[in-house]
Amino acid sequence: MTKVYIGERDNVEKALRRLKKKLMTLNTLQDVRDKEFYVKPTEKRKLKKAAAKKRWQRHLASQQLPKKLY
């Protein structure tokens, strides 16, 4: 369980920001979102393959020379 302690000078908004930051670093929030709906194994594979393809396209784009500007 993640806890955030509030001092005398802290307000609720600061505490919420700190809590969100802790949850993001622990990937707790992402795990909850992932488990919210069931995703079939074939769909998982399809999403992974699409993400890999997108990463590869970005890699290739970064390796190309810039287009001439004339």
Side-chain angles (χ1 to χ4, degrees):
M1 177 121 194
T2 306
K3 296 180 183 180
V4 175
Y5 296 102
I6 301 175
E8 290 180 15
R9 298 179 187 163
D10 293 339
N11 57 8
V12 177
E13 287 82 19
K14 265 188 181 179
L16 281 174
R17 268 189 264 135
R18 274 195 271 153
L19 176 66
K20 286 180 184 179
K21 192 170 186 177
K22 278 187 179 183
L23 290 176
M24 291 294 284
T25 57
L26 296 174
N27 288 333
T28 308
L29 198 57
Q30 188 62 39
D31 291 341
V32 170
R33 286 183 179 152
D34 289 342
K35 292 180 181 183
E36 189 174 3
F37 300 106
Y38 177 74
V39 180
K40 292 198 264 182
T42 55
E43 189 68 25
K44 283 183 186 179
R45 282 195 301 268
K46 190 185 289 186
L47 290 173
K48 276 189 174 183
K49 190 173 183 178
K53 191 174 182 179
K54 192 174 183 179
R55 278 195 312 270
W56 182 247
Q57 291 297 327
R58 268 188 272 153
H59 173 72
L60 289 179
S62 69
Q63 297 297 318
Q64 285 183 337
L65 294 173
K67 293 183 178 179
K68 294 184 180 180
L69 299 175
Y70 58 88

